């Protein structure tokens, strides 16, 4: 498994347009969008304390958010900022300036260390949740430096370790705010808040997801190459394969059925891929193509489907097919993608 | 109803940080995020023909997408581009350069005019769907100019008409691609594709949503001012109000229950707002605050809730309260926000 190989495969299948300069392709753009959504869901939405999202005016937003929270700790602000790339690992050498996803949480001094430990655990869990090789992720030992504690979440690859997220706990105020601004309340007592932060570089997150998902599996006599994206991240959740029946009327009817099902799924906001070339007499090749862009499930329609309404649903991960009645497909697919 | 009044109210409640220069605030950022998601869902995901999303390399993506679709029309590419603001209406005078959401669909010449008419209808429906005053939106007459047909979707406001989306049908090739690139297949015949496009300016879409949602309603003797955001767009879907019972033990228990419910809702990815100051003996004031940031439902917890488990769910739009058992709340809320 070589990085170069993964990058060229990504380029061939639209995840990347080019790796130098680094340009995300049309399939990759949806992956990036999904990663962003999951980041927002995990940090901004899914917490016990209020975190607000701000596009790029940290300082101004801070005052508003502090007021809204009646100055009561803990509260937080997540934002996106374009800065110089730090670090000297393989991924970061591919670009120089990039967007960082950041999250700052302000906590009471008495609780900050405990909070930081929990934060580390939660963030590592987040990376592992979406990985096909969860053991890849680990946290480094804590670096303590003048009241600043730093921990990195790293991923192990054959070509070296990769920094994916930097976590910090600062016993002093956040750089861009004044000491007066930093004074908040905790249990009705005025305190100088500590701040805990997370930093993720967007293209590094993207490349890490792609490389993490890349798999070469022995399959019968050949090597099966695929991107095993987590189903919440996969750019397309469902794809279609229509058997060529050599009777053009039937094939057209089957393609119409595929279009109908695709529309149904999209109405439920399930991102589905239906291509003109999905009509094929080489189903295996169609599967291969879907595995390359990491589509978790393929719906197979054949002559039988028109008679008894039964379609086959092939799973990318198991390569097994199960029977599903077309009328139950949208509901069944919803269930498949509901949980993490 | 004055624009200035709406802008200053938006600023007070975190939708905007400032209107000159135009800066979106922490509450507004979530609104912008939701608008983006709905745009993607409506254009990229929810169609009968394949549309791909690309962050900003239209020309390179075009070749990839054309290949993926076996050169068969129709197909499309949506992207985001930063350009100079066109138009001279009120909204566009607030900023000079901005991001545009664009969508290009390539269609066969024989079908292009019919497609364009349907496209107009669908896009107008999209704006109306999220509006509290759907009649506000109308399409202008078609301007024909040398094979280029232009229609604008506009919104009526007391201070004038506002361009919200520009739709075009071009009988010639898209500017940035060559004639050779423009040659595609339709029903197995080579044709020069026509292209249909849509252009939305992001901050105009944001301001239009805010102004559209602004309402002054007579309520008893006073004027009730609120942002009636569509429930899919509302930055926060649910907020909490805890009755102050003047027995601190009970109030703390109620606040803990609110935290538990909030966490439950967030686990279902329902964006919920729980602020430290939600404990109050002035419920009316809490409602007012929630109406200002357009939260569609408020959960009210009072002393009775601890005894019989029944909470009240107040609707922003009707101001009516209904009883919901706390154990059924997450499921009930899912139902409320499921459909458009």
């Amino acid at each position: 498994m070589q990085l170069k190989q993964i990058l060229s495969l990504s380029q061939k299948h639209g995840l990347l347009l080019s790796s130098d300069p680094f340009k995300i392709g049309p399939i990759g753009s949806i992956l990036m969008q999904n990663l962003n959504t999951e980041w927002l869901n995990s940090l901004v939405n899914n917490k016990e304390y209020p975190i607000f999202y701000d596009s790029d005016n940290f300082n101004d937003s801070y005052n508003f958010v502090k007021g809204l929270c009646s100055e009561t700790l803990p509260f937080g602000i997540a934002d996106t900022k374009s800065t110089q790339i730090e670090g000297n690992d393989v991924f970061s050498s591919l670009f120089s300036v990039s967007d960082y996803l950041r999250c700052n949480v302000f906590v009471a001094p008495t609780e900050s260390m405990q909070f930081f430990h929990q934060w580390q655990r939660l963030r590592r869990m987040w990376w592992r949740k979406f990985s096909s090789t969860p053991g890849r992720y680990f946290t480094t030992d804590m670096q303590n430096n003048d009241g600043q504690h730093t921990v990195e979440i790293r991923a192990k690859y054959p070509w070296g370790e990769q920094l994916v997220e930097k976590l910090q706990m600062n016993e002093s105020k956040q750089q861009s705010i004044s000491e007066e601004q930093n004074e908040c309340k905790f249990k009705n007592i005025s305190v100088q808040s500590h701040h805990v932060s997370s930093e993720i570089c967007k293209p590094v997150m993207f490349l890490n997801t792609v490389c993490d998902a890349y798999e070469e599996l022995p399959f019968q006599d050949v090597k099966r190459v695929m991107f095993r994206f987590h189903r919440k991240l996969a750019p397309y959740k469902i794809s279609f394969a229509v058997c060529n029946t050599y009777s053009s009327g039937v094939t057209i009817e089957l393609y119409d059925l595929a279009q109908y099902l695709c529309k149904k799924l999209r109405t439920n906001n399930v991102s589905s891929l239906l291509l003109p070339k999905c009509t094929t007499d080489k189903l295996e090749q169609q599967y291969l193509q879907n595995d390359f862009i990491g589509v978790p499930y393929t719906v197979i329609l054949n002559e039988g489907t028109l008679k008894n309404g039964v379609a086959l649903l092939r799973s990318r991960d198991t390569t097994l097919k199960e029977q599903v009645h077309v009328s139950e497909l949208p509901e069944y697919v919803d269930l498949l993608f509901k949980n993490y």
Side-chain angles (χ1 to χ4, degrees), chain A:
Chain A
M1 178 161 96
Q2 290 286 316
L3 180 61
K4 236 174 104 182
Q5 202 180 329
I6 300 179
L7 288 181
S8 88
L9 198 71
S10 304
Q11 237 166 299
K12 197 172 154 202
H13 295 285
L15 290 164
L16 290 178
L17 277 178
S18 72
S19 53
D20 189 20
F22 180 80
K23 278 187 190 174
I24 292 178
I27 309 282
S29 294
I30 314 177
L31 178 64
M32 191 73 237
Q33 189 74 28
N34 292 346
L35 278 166
N36 241 323
T37 307
E38 291 302 331
W39 179 78
L40 275 175
N41 278 347
S42 120
L43 278 172
V44 179
N45 194 20
N46 212 342
K47 283 277 167 281
E48 285 162 68
Y49 34 91
I51 297 199
F52 296 84
Y53 179 63
D54 170 63
S55 18
D56 68 345
N57 314 290
F58 179 81
N59 205 337
D60 296 329
S61 299
Y62 177 82
N63 293 327
F64 175 82
V65 167
K66 187 179 159 187
L68 194 64
C69 294
S70 326
E71 310 194 347
T72 309
L73 298 171
F75 61 85
I77 298 173
D79 67 355
T80 315
K81 201 170 175 83
S82 188
T83 43
Q84 209 75 21
I85 294 288
E86 279 177 43
N88 45 13
D89 38 39
V90 183
F91 289 173
S92 12
S93 64
L94 293 168
F95 20 79
S96 54
V97 175
S98 182
D99 281 349
Y100 274 85
L101 301 171
R102 303 186 310 175
C103 186
N104 289 286
V105 188
F106 299 88
V107 284
T110 46
E111 298 202 321
S112 61
M113 206 28 108
Q114 197 199 338
F115 185 97
F116 189 45
H117 283 296
Q118 201 193 347
W119 180 259
Q120 288 170 36
R121 208 174 53 87
L122 284 173
R123 294 309 301 154
R124 195 179 56 216
M125 262 169 58
W126 187 76
W127 288 98
R128 289 189 168 172
K129 186 165 69 175
F130 295 111
S131 172
S132 57
T133 329
R136 193 191 294 290
Y137 297 93
F138 67 98
T139 37
T140 58
D141 292 338
M142 202 186 292
Q143 303 279 327
N144 303 309
N145 179 9
D146 204 12
Q148 188 180 61
H149 312 279
T150 309
V151 158
E152 292 180 345
I153 299 179
R154 290 175 162 271
K156 274 185 203 139
Y157 287 103
W159 55 83
E161 281 179 14
Q162 177 59 50
L163 164 68
V164 290
E165 185 169 359
K166 198 165 129 187
L167 304 172
Q168 281 195 323
M169 202 275 275
N170 247 297
E171 290 178 17
S172 60
K173 67 182 186 57
Q174 214 261 9
Q175 297 160 8
S176 53
I177 58 174
S178 69
E179 256 177 54
E180 197 188 333
Q181 283 180 300
N182 198 41
E183 190 170 303
C184 294
K185 283 185 202 139
F186 183 65
K187 293 181 177 163
N188 290 323
I189 299 162
S190 275
V191 290
Q192 282 283 324
S193 66
H194 288 178
H195 90 273
V196 175
S197 68
S198 137
E199 245 184 32
I200 303 174
C201 174
K202 273 176 85 167
V204 166
M205 171 164 73
F206 177 86
L207 277 177
N208 176 68
T209 309
V210 169
C211 293
D212 184 290
Y214 181 84
E215 271 189 18
E216 292 172 0
L217 294 173
F219 181 68
Q220 290 158 6
D221 289 340
V222 289
K223 204 171 58 176
R224 205 173 143 233
V225 173
M226 58 186 248
F227 287 107
R228 197 198 271 270
F229 292 120
H230 185 278
R231 62 186 174 289
K232 286 279 180 183
L233 297 180
Y236 294 102
K237 317 297 186 196
I238 294 277
S239 182
F240 290 85
V242 174
C243 293
N244 193 341
T245 56
Y246 298 103
S247 136
S248 83
V250 175
T251 311
I252 287 169
E253 252 181 89
L254 282 174
Y255 188 76
D256 284 349
L257 179 60
Q259 271 198 316
Y260 170 79
L261 288 173
C262 183
K263 210 176 138 187
K264 270 274 186 198
L265 291 171
R266 284 177 179 162
T267 310
N268 292 352
N269 289 334
V270 177
S271 162
S272 312
L273 184 66
L274 175 63
L275 294 175
K277 66 179 166 201
C278 78
T279 305
T280 179
D281 38 332
K282 286 180 187 130
L283 281 177
E284 282 302 327
Q285 219 152 11
Q286 191 65 32
Y287 301 157
L288 219 65
Q289 163 79 21
N290 290 343
D291 287 349
F292 276 139
I293 56 173
V295 185
Y297 293 95
T298 304
V299 176
I300 303 152
L301 303 177
N302 55 33
E303 225 168 332
T305 312
L306 286 185
K307 289 178 193 147
N308 55 20
V310 174
L312 296 171
L313 194 64
R314 174 190 180 268
S315 155
R316 172 198 66 193
D317 297 344
T318 62
T319 72
L320 297 178
K321 304 182 193 83
E322 54 180 323
Q323 294 189 315
V324 183
H325 197 275
V326 288
S327 64
E328 282 158 8
L329 188 74
E331 223 166 282
Y332 187 63
V333 168
D334 265 1
L335 272 181
L336 287 175
F337 288 96
K338 202 178 167 192
N339 296 314
Y340 279 83

